[in-house]
Amino acid sequence: MRSYSLIAPAKINLYLEIIGDRPDGYHELAMVLQSINLADKIDIRAIGIETIIVKCDHPQVPPDAGNLAYRAASLLSKQFPDIFARYGGIEITIHKHIPVAAGLAGGSTNAAAVLVGLDLMWELGLTQRELQELGAQLGSDVPFCISGGTALATGRGEILSPLPNVEGLYVVLAKYKNLSVSTPWAYRTYRQEFGHTYVSESSGQESSRERVHSGPIVSAIAHHNNSEIGKLLHNDLEKIVLPEYPQILKLREAFASQNILGTMMSGSGPTVFALTESQAQAESVQAAVKATMADPELDFWIATFNPNGIAIAH
Ligand code: C5P
């Protein structure tokens, strides 16, 4: 086939713990990542000229190498130059539904869709692991976005262990339209403030384990204990982002005052989400927070957990 349409789901962080720093400048993390059914649609098409074209209906999404989807196509075209020449180029059209610069891996999931789509269109037959290794060159969240579902992510975020699917949870998400948080700033500031607590590389596995606290939420997921999952939500970056952005803190407090299982900022923000056990509860939480905040700059979404990552659109 000379064209593919793919569904690229967003992710939320149910858990994000910063363990230490790494020689490559990144941080050693323990995260629980969850795909949600708030998704972009990505169309890829072989075109006559040997070039990469990116089109998007969202003004904040660049059409060039500033776009991770472009970089994914460029990476594969360099990896497989003969096939790229044979197919003659790629047009990528991004239909944006995931908010941009939101802490929901919108750019990473677009790149993941391009890798999966080109593997199919060019009949490369790459394994998921090979696609994820390529994805890790583009960004720490790209490998997870390929496989999706529920996973424990360690290392930079690229070492993935699948976890059992979490069922029966609904997510209410809220984000200020024009607010964005710089991820490098958030990590850099965390290092400045909490670097003294980092686990050193030389400490043995046992002492590292004592300092990593992802065990209880992983166990709650394995036991399908949704109320416990809600209680165990955690994100170290909140310690940096919430004091600096009082609006996000206020939004989180508005969610926390509702009848919910738990609330948390996703990634480095600024999106805040809350978990509920029913669609009706999600709708009433959304209505209540909307009324409390009474701010036209706030956007809301309701989503469910998605059991997979990139999928072909039907
Ligand atoms: O990998 P990605 O490009 O998505 O990461 C964005 C930024 O987040 C990095 O430049 C780095 O500042 C920070 N980061 C980090 N440690 C990680 C993942 C991301 O410090 N494990």
Side-chain angles (χ1 to χ4, degrees), residues 26-27 29 139-140 156 183-184 187:
Y26 281 78
H27 285 83
L29 304 175
S140 309
R156 262 171 66 208
T183 305
Y187 278 101

Side-chain angles (χ1 to χ4, degrees), residues 6 11 32 35 38 54 57 84 87 126-127 130 132 153 158-159 162 171 195 215 238 243 254 284-286 289 301 314:
L6 301 125
K11 66 92 186 130
V32 176
S35 304
L38 174 61
V54 175
D57 48 11
F84 181 54
Y87 276 81
L126 297 175
T127 62
E130 285 168 328
Q132 287 175 323
E158 85 290 17
I159 303 172
V171 202
E238 282 197 339
S284 96
V285 168
Q286 172 178 308
V289 173
W301 299 264
H314 293 294

Side-chain angles (χ1 to χ4, degrees), residues 42-119:
I42 310 291
D43 300 328
I44 58 165
R45 192 164 74 83
I47 50 172
I49 36 169
E50 206 176 309
T51 184
I52 298 166
I53 298 171
V54 175
K55 296 179 173 173
C56 183
D57 48 11
H58 192 294
Q60 271 172 273
V61 176
D64 50 25
N67 187 320
L68 223 44
Y70 181 103
R71 293 217 289 275
S74 171
L75 177 66
L76 269 196
S77 69
K78 289 194 180 96
Q79 207 80 12
F80 301 97
D82 296 345
I83 298 177
F84 181 54
R86 195 180 324 141
Y87 276 81
I90 313 149
E91 183 186 81
I92 301 164
T93 308
I94 303 172
H95 305 275
K96 261 284 157 210
H97 303 289
I98 304 171
V100 174
L104 300 175
S108 301
T109 194
N110 293 173
V114 169
L115 293 178
V116 171
L118 285 180
D119 173 56

Side-chain angles (χ1 to χ4, degrees), residues 126-137:
L126 297 175
T127 62
Q128 188 171 78
R129 178 176 287 223
E130 285 168 328
L131 286 170
Q132 287 175 323
E133 278 167 9
L134 287 164
Q137 296 179 37

